[in-house]
Amino acid sequence: MSQHRLSGIGMTSERTRARMVERLREQGIRDMLVLAAMAQVPRHLFVSEALALRAYEDTALPIGLGQTISHPYSVARMLEVLRNGRDMQRVLEVGSGCGYQAAILSKIAREVYSVERISSLLGQARRAIRELRLNNIKLKHGDGNVGLPEWAPFDGIVLAAAAVEPPAALLAQLADGGRMVLPRGFGDQQFMVLIEREGDVFHEQVLETVHFVPLLTGVA
Ligand code: SAH
């Protein structure tokens, strides 16, 4: 990618990003670290050049293969709930897509692991993340339903695709005291859910309605 794209001009500038962050504040996002990360990461680098001018609109955008880059508000809200003011060491994301949320996570957690089932999307994500030199992200091709047992436990797990039930393997990979945030349900019946682990007890809290693509099984 050219220097021109990285520095950003006009609609893809720092100023446009600052306006997006201002909107997030108005929508109720309070976590300063999340807001700072969203002000920093150039969202336009995660979408095709044809869509770069729309990258800062508060909307989900297509990234190919029927998948979307999540709404800025959804990313901010999920990560605010995930973090809950903590210093996070190791986090797992299921559904890297274009890599945008992983990039935001890289600013608010020490180590980020992100699993994507579609290998060609992972290629796009790798390019953007390499270009931004975000060295604390490990992208993995695989089925996120099984998580990454070799790197567990995680003190945060976030799903970018909606599951009817929280996958058992992911619950098992959550650290004691850890938090998992996922869109739960299917179709138009989805809620953001927070699961907190306390020993062998998992406390579940239902938050706002959301709309995500479904969590599938297997790899592509
Ligand atoms: N995190 C992205 C959002 C991607 S959309 C962002 O920052 O915008 C959700 C992604 O989840 C899609 O790319 C989809 O392919 C992926 N996905 C769905 N089921 C999955 C599974 N079982 N394992 C890993 N990824 C999955």
Side-chain angles (χ1 to χ4, degrees):
M1 248 175 253
S2 63
Q3 193 54 39
H4 169 82
R5 262 205 110 195
L6 242 188
S7 55
I9 47 156
M11 283 301 287
T12 54
S13 74
E14 220 167 294
R15 210 152 19 93
T16 316
R17 211 146 54 233
R19 277 201 294 275
M20 175 185 80
V21 168
E22 202 37 56
R23 277 200 309 274
L24 292 172
R25 267 185 219 282
E26 286 164 13
Q27 290 169 304
I29 305 298
R30 290 286 168 265
D31 187 316
M32 297 302 286
L33 209 55
V34 169
L35 290 169
M38 297 201 53
Q40 230 182 325
V41 174
R43 186 169 155 92
H44 64 280
L45 294 188
F46 293 86
V47 298
S48 65
E49 293 202 40
L51 287 172
L53 291 179
R54 301 190 54 203
Y56 298 99
E57 290 176 15
D58 198 10
T59 179
L61 294 169
I63 53 174
L65 298 143
Q67 304 304 320
T68 52
I69 179 170
S70 303
H71 230 265
Y73 175 79
S74 304
V75 172
R77 183 71 186 127
M78 285 188 111
L79 299 191
E80 172 174 80
V81 171
L82 184 73
R83 198 171 94 80
N84 195 34
R86 299 174 300 160
D87 274 335
M88 294 190 294
Q89 295 297 315
R90 188 173 282 189
V91 298
L92 172 65
E93 177 192 37
V94 172
S96 328
C98 60
Y100 176 69
Q101 179 166 266
I104 302 294
L105 275 169
S106 79
K107 307 282 184 190
I108 68 170
R110 204 163 293 242
E111 294 169 43
V112 179
Y113 293 83
S114 182
V115 189
E116 170 57 54
R117 63 181 290 278
I118 302 179
S119 66
S120 59
L121 283 181
L122 208 56
Q124 288 180 38
R126 271 191 217 292
R127 273 194 296 281
I129 279 165
R130 197 177 313 127
E131 184 178 6
L132 293 170
R133 297 191 176 81
L134 303 173
N135 302 320
N136 60 339
I137 305 177
K138 299 243 185 324
L139 295 171
K140 308 275 181 190
H141 183 221
D143 181 351
N145 284 288
V146 298
L148 293 175
E150 62 277 40
W151 297 103
F154 299 96
D155 46 15
I157 299 180
V158 60
L159 276 71
V164 175
E165 292 289 340
L170 297 183
L171 293 173
Q173 290 167 34
L174 194 59
D176 193 7
R179 292 163 76 87
M180 174 161 145
V181 180
L182 71 149
R184 185 162 186 187
F186 56 91
D188 290 333
Q189 291 288 311
Q190 293 179 18
F191 296 90
M192 188 194 299
V193 162
L194 163 67
I195 295 173
E196 287 176 281
R197 180 171 194 169
E198 195 186 336
D200 288 332
V201 183
F202 295 87
H203 303 280
E204 182 168 335
Q205 217 176 306
V206 178
L207 307 169
E208 61 234 51
T209 55
V210 287
H211 190 78
F212 280 81
V213 296
L215 183 74
L216 302 178
T217 53
V219 292

